[in-house]
Amino acid sequence: MSIKGRIHSIETFGTVDGPGIRYIVFTQGCPLRCKYCHNRDTWDTQGGKEYTTNELIDDVKKYIPFMKTSGGGLTVSGGEPTLQPEFLKRLLIEAKESGIHTAVDTSGFVDIEVIDPILDYTDLVLLDIKHIDRDSFKNLTGVYNDKTLNLAKHLEKRNIPVWIRYVLVPGVTDNKEDIKNLAKFLLTLGNVEKIEILPYHSMGKFKWKELGYDYPLKGIPDATDEDVEKASNIFKKYGVTIKERNF
Ligand code: SF4
């Protein structure tokens, strides 16, 4: 049974969204409104192009040799992939049937009952925790962080491997107290394999302009190596080991 989904774009040789070389499907549509969104054109649920799961999996299979030698697989990212739950589940089922490692990259803004059946076919979750403070999360993304934190706890219960991502934005997400609180929360989770700091940069702002929107973080500087090191040291101080990489 093939299901149609709305897709923003595809990357056939991704190397940063999960282990090894990955085929990355960026789905169309996102319920968040992150001020630093570098894929502003993914928000509209009616945008992008329709693909069937069969079409995608036939294409993914061409890359199996690269995935096998590199320990890679398929990553479904966005936008927010869980906005199209039936499509996502079918895509992952078909990938698993072909022996392909699967990862889902999510903001966590999804109900547990919706994501639970999807998790049965998910080998790894890449979970963005955009802010640990509830109100600051809302200010940054337009929604509260309850669902994201609930999902983090649920993934632990199900013992599903997780990589946490944290976008470091000067003056917005680099507050010492917030990082300390995030570190404390992460220490309560036993299933986190990796924590990545993604230094904020404003390279996605041209997309906002192209679409005729004002960029909300105008004037906020990109995060420097120093900023990342500082944040990293706070995480480390509270017992959390960090991997730094480009956003
Ligand atoms: S969750 Fe991702 S795609 Fe959605 S608004 Fe935030 S940064 Fe953009």
Side-chain angles (χ1 to χ4, degrees):
M1 182 191 39
S2 193
I3 295 182
K4 277 185 187 164
R6 288 207 85 86
I7 304 304
H8 170 269
S9 55
I10 287 164
E11 192 181 331
T12 53
F13 268 81
T15 53
V16 291
D17 295 308
I21 293 171
R22 308 196 70 84
Y23 189 104
I24 306 173
V25 176
F26 294 94
T27 59
Q28 184 71 29
C30 187
L32 270 63
R33 297 291 177 256
C34 300
K35 289 183 173 167
Y36 53 60
C37 185
H38 56 300
N39 283 320
R40 175 63 182 82
D41 51 344
T42 62
W43 289 8
D44 178 7
T45 51
Q46 297 311 308
K49 198 181 151 203
E50 276 192 337
Y51 286 82
T52 64
T53 47
N54 279 357
E55 281 170 330
L56 289 170
I57 289 295
D58 284 348
D59 200 37
V60 174
K61 280 181 187 165
K62 294 182 196 156
Y63 301 90
I64 287 179
F66 301 102
M67 293 172 179
K68 293 277 180 227
T69 48
S70 67
L74 167 71
T75 297
V76 192
S77 181
E80 175 50 53
T82 61
L83 262 192
Q84 303 180 65
E86 290 308 319
F87 166 78
L88 176 59
K89 184 174 134 193
R90 189 69 226 160
L91 190 62
L92 298 178
I93 288 175
E94 290 182 23
K96 291 312 303 168
E97 281 171 0
S98 300
I100 296 168
H101 177 273
T102 58
V104 173
D105 178 10
T106 176
S107 69
F109 190 73
V110 57
D111 292 326
I112 299 297
E113 333 51 288
V114 172
I115 199 170
D116 224 15
I118 295 165
L119 294 175
D120 294 342
Y121 308 96
T122 305
D123 296 315
L124 173 71
V125 173
L126 310 175
L127 180 64
D128 295 352
I129 298 188
K130 292 167 191 294
H131 215 299
I132 193 66
D133 180 76
R134 197 166 179 268
D135 291 326
S136 305
F137 192 105
K138 172 94 166 26
N139 186 36
L140 182 62
T141 69
V143 301
Y144 286 113
N145 61 8
D146 309 66
K147 288 186 182 188
T148 301
L149 301 184
N150 275 345
L151 178 61
K153 291 176 201 157
H154 182 72
L155 293 170
E156 202 219 10
K157 230 187 281 162
R158 288 200 55 171
N159 201 23
I160 294 177
V162 171
W163 290 12
I164 300 285
R165 274 116 169 255
Y166 189 64
V167 179
L168 190 75
V169 190
V172 179
T173 66
D174 62 350
N175 178 283
K176 200 174 164 185
E177 197 60 19
D178 291 324
I179 294 177
K180 179 181 101 179
N181 290 337
L182 177 58
K184 282 184 171 171
F185 175 70
L186 295 176
L187 286 175
T188 66
L189 306 172
N191 58 334
V192 176
E193 286 187 346
K194 195 185 277 190
I195 299 164
E196 296 179 316
I197 293 182
L198 281 51
Y200 163 75
H201 63 70
S202 51
M203 263 150 46
K205 83 173 168 198
F206 78 95
K207 287 194 183 174
W208 290 71
K209 206 174 164 201
E210 266 178 13
L211 293 165
Y213 298 108
D214 261 358
Y215 186 64
L217 293 187
K218 236 183 275 170
I220 300 249
D222 291 3
T224 61
D225 291 349
E226 260 189 335
D227 295 330
V228 174
E229 200 187 328
K230 241 199 216 157
S232 211
N233 285 337
I234 303 170
F235 275 112
K236 277 180 207 151
K237 188 173 160 201
Y238 292 95
V240 169
T241 313
I242 294 292
K243 182 171 187 292
E244 296 148 18
R245 74 159 181 80
N246 290 327
F247 179 25

Coordinates of all heavy atoms in Angstrom, one line a residue, residues 27 29-43 77-80 105-109 128 130 140-141 167 208 247, ligand 1:
T27 N 10.1 16.8 4.7 CA 8.6 16.9 4.5 C 8.2 18.3 4.5 O 8.8 19.2 5.1 CB 7.9 16.1 5.5 OG1 8.2 16.6 6.8 CG2 8.2 14.6 5.4
G29 N 5.5 21.3 5.5 CA 4.5 21.6 6.6 C 5.2 21.6 8.0 O 5.9 20.7 8.3
C30 N 5.0 22.7 8.7 CA 5.5 22.7 10.1 C 4.5 23.6 11.0 O 4.1 24.6 10.6 CB 6.9 23.4 10.2 SG 7.6 23.2 11.8
P31 N 4.2 23.0 12.2 CA 3.3 23.8 13.1 C 4.1 24.8 13.9 O 3.4 25.6 14.6 CB 2.7 22.7 14.0 CG 3.7 21.6 14.0 CD 4.5 21.7 12.7
L32 N 5.4 24.7 13.9 CA 6.2 25.7 14.7 C 6.5 26.9 13.9 O 6.4 26.9 12.6 CB 7.4 25.1 15.2 CG 7.3 24.4 16.6 CD1 6.4 23.2 16.6 CD2 8.7 23.9 17.1
R33 N 6.9 28.0 14.5 CA 7.2 29.2 13.8 C 8.5 29.8 14.4 O 8.6 30.9 14.9 CB 6.1 30.3 14.0 CG 4.7 29.8 13.5 CD 4.8 29.8 11.9 NE 3.6 29.3 11.3 CZ 3.4 28.1 10.7 NH1 4.4 27.2 10.8 NH2 2.4 27.8 10.0
C34 N 9.5 28.9 14.3 CA 10.8 29.3 14.9 C 11.4 30.6 14.3 O 11.4 30.7 13.1 CB 11.8 28.2 14.8 SG 11.3 26.7 15.5
K35 N 11.8 31.5 15.2 CA 12.3 32.8 14.7 C 13.6 32.6 13.8 O 13.9 33.5 13.1 CB 12.5 33.7 15.9 CG 11.2 34.2 16.5 CD 11.5 35.2 17.6 CE 10.1 35.7 18.1 NZ 10.3 36.4 19.4
Y36 N 14.3 31.5 14.1 CA 15.5 31.3 13.3 C 15.4 30.4 12.2 O 16.4 29.9 11.6 CB 16.7 30.9 14.2 CG 16.4 29.7 15.1 CD1 16.1 28.4 14.5 CD2 16.5 29.7 16.5 CE1 15.8 27.3 15.3 CE2 16.3 28.6 17.3 CZ 15.9 27.4 16.7 OH 15.7 26.3 17.5
C37 N 14.1 30.0 11.9 CA 13.9 28.9 10.9 C 14.7 29.1 9.6 O 14.6 30.2 9.0 CB 12.4 28.8 10.5 SG 12.1 27.4 9.5
H38 N 15.6 28.2 9.2 CA 16.3 28.4 8.0 C 15.6 27.6 6.8 O 16.2 27.6 5.7 CB 17.8 27.9 8.2 CG 18.0 26.5 8.7 ND1 17.5 26.1 9.9 CD2 18.6 25.5 8.1 CE1 17.8 24.8 10.0 NE2 18.4 24.4 9.0
N39 N 14.5 27.1 7.1 CA 13.6 26.5 6.0 C 12.3 27.1 6.1 O 11.3 26.4 6.2 CB 13.6 25.0 6.2 CG 14.8 24.3 5.7 OD1 15.4 24.7 4.7 ND2 15.3 23.3 6.5
R40 N 12.2 28.4 6.0 CA 10.9 29.1 6.1 C 9.9 28.6 5.1 O 8.7 28.7 5.3 CB 11.2 30.6 6.0 CG 10.0 31.5 5.9 CD 9.2 31.5 7.2 NE 8.0 32.3 7.2 CZ 6.9 32.0 6.7 NH1 6.7 30.8 6.1 NH2 5.8 32.8 6.7
D41 N 10.4 28.2 3.9 CA 9.5 27.7 2.9 C 8.9 26.3 3.1 O 8.2 25.8 2.3 CB 10.3 27.7 1.5 CG 11.6 27.0 1.6 OD1 12.1 26.8 2.7 OD2 12.2 26.7 0.5
T42 N 9.2 25.7 4.3 CA 8.6 24.4 4.6 C 7.3 24.6 5.4 O 6.6 23.6 5.6 CB 9.5 23.5 5.5 OG1 9.8 24.2 6.7 CG2 10.8 23.2 4.8
W43 N 7.0 25.8 5.9 CA 5.9 25.9 6.8 C 4.5 25.6 6.2 O 3.7 24.9 6.8 CB 5.8 27.4 7.3 CG 6.9 27.7 8.3 CD1 8.0 27.0 8.6 CD2 7.0 29.0 9.0 NE1 8.8 27.7 9.5 CE2 8.2 28.9 9.8 CE3 6.3 30.1 9.1 CZ2 8.7 29.9 10.6 CZ3 6.7 31.1 10.0 CH2 7.9 31.0 10.7
S77 N 13.0 14.3 7.8 CA 13.1 15.5 8.5 C 12.0 16.5 8.0 O 11.1 16.1 7.4 CB 14.5 16.1 8.3 OG 14.7 17.3 9.0
G78 N 12.2 17.8 8.3 CA 11.1 18.7 7.8 C 11.6 20.1 7.7 O 12.9 20.3 7.6
G79 N 10.7 21.0 7.8 CA 9.3 20.9 8.3 C 9.2 20.0 9.5 O 10.1 19.8 10.3
E80 N 8.0 19.4 9.7 CA 7.8 18.5 10.8 C 7.2 17.2 10.2 O 6.0 17.2 9.9 CB 6.8 19.2 11.8 CG 6.4 18.3 13.0 CD 7.6 17.6 13.6 OE1 8.6 18.3 14.0 OE2 7.6 16.3 13.8
D105 N 13.6 13.1 12.4 CA 14.1 14.4 12.9 C 12.9 15.2 13.3 O 12.1 15.6 12.3 CB 15.0 15.1 11.9 CG 15.5 16.4 12.3 OD1 15.3 16.8 13.5 OD2 16.0 17.1 11.4
T106 N 12.6 15.5 14.5 CA 11.4 16.1 14.9 C 11.6 17.2 16.0 O 12.6 17.2 16.8 CB 10.4 15.1 15.5 OG1 9.2 15.8 16.0 CG2 10.9 14.3 16.6
S107 N 10.7 18.2 16.0 CA 10.7 19.2 17.0 C 10.0 18.7 18.3 O 10.0 19.3 19.3 CB 9.9 20.4 16.6 OG 8.5 20.1 16.5
G108 N 9.4 17.5 18.2 CA 8.7 16.9 19.3 C 7.3 17.4 19.5 O 6.6 17.0 20.5
F109 N 6.8 18.3 18.7 CA 5.5 18.9 18.8 C 4.5 18.0 18.2 O 4.0 18.2 17.1 CB 5.4 20.3 18.2 CG 4.2 21.0 18.6 CD1 4.0 21.5 19.8 CD2 3.1 21.2 17.6 CE1 2.8 22.2 20.2 CE2 2.0 21.9 18.0 CZ 1.8 22.4 19.2
D128 N 14.9 17.9 18.6 CA 15.3 19.3 18.8 C 14.7 19.8 20.1 O 13.4 19.9 20.2 CB 14.8 20.3 17.7 CG 15.4 20.0 16.4 OD1 16.4 19.1 16.3 OD2 15.0 20.6 15.4
K130 N 14.4 23.2 21.7 CA 14.7 24.5 21.3 C 14.9 25.5 22.5 O 15.6 26.5 22.4 CB 13.7 25.0 20.3 CG 13.7 24.2 19.0 CD 12.6 24.5 18.1 CE 12.5 23.5 17.0 NZ 13.6 23.6 16.0
L140 N 10.1 31.8 21.3 CA 11.0 31.4 20.1 C 10.3 30.7 19.0 O 10.6 30.8 17.8 CB 12.1 30.6 20.7 CG 13.2 30.2 19.7 CD1 14.0 31.4 19.1 CD2 14.3 29.2 20.4
T141 N 9.3 29.9 19.4 CA 8.7 28.9 18.4 C 7.2 29.1 18.1 O 6.7 28.5 17.2 CB 8.9 27.5 18.9 OG1 8.0 27.3 20.0 CG2 10.3 27.2 19.2
V167 N 19.9 24.5 19.3 CA 20.5 25.6 18.5 C 20.8 26.7 19.5 O 20.0 27.2 20.2 CB 19.4 26.1 17.5 CG1 20.0 27.3 16.7 CG2 19.0 25.0 16.5
W208 N 13.3 34.1 4.0 CA 12.3 34.9 4.6 C 12.0 36.1 3.6 O 10.9 36.4 3.3 CB 12.6 35.4 5.9 CG 12.7 34.4 7.0 CD1 13.6 33.4 7.2 CD2 11.8 34.2 8.1 NE1 13.3 32.7 8.3 CE2 12.2 33.2 8.9 CE3 10.6 34.9 8.5 CZ2 11.6 32.7 10.0 CZ3 10.0 34.5 9.7 CH2 10.4 33.4 10.4
F247 N 25.2 24.3 12.0 CA 23.7 24.2 11.8 C 23.3 24.3 10.4 O 23.8 25.1 9.7 CB 23.2 25.5 12.6 CG 21.7 25.7 12.6 CD1 20.8 24.7 12.5 CD2 21.3 27.0 12.7 CE1 19.5 24.9 12.5 CE2 19.9 27.3 12.8 CZ 19.0 26.2 12.7
Ligands
SF4_1 S1 10.7 23.3 13.7 FE1 12.2 23.4 12.1 S2 11.1 23.8 10.2 FE2 9.7 24.2 11.9 S3 9.8 26.4 12.2 FE3 11.2 25.4 13.6 S4 13.2 25.4 12.5 FE4 11.6 25.8 11.0

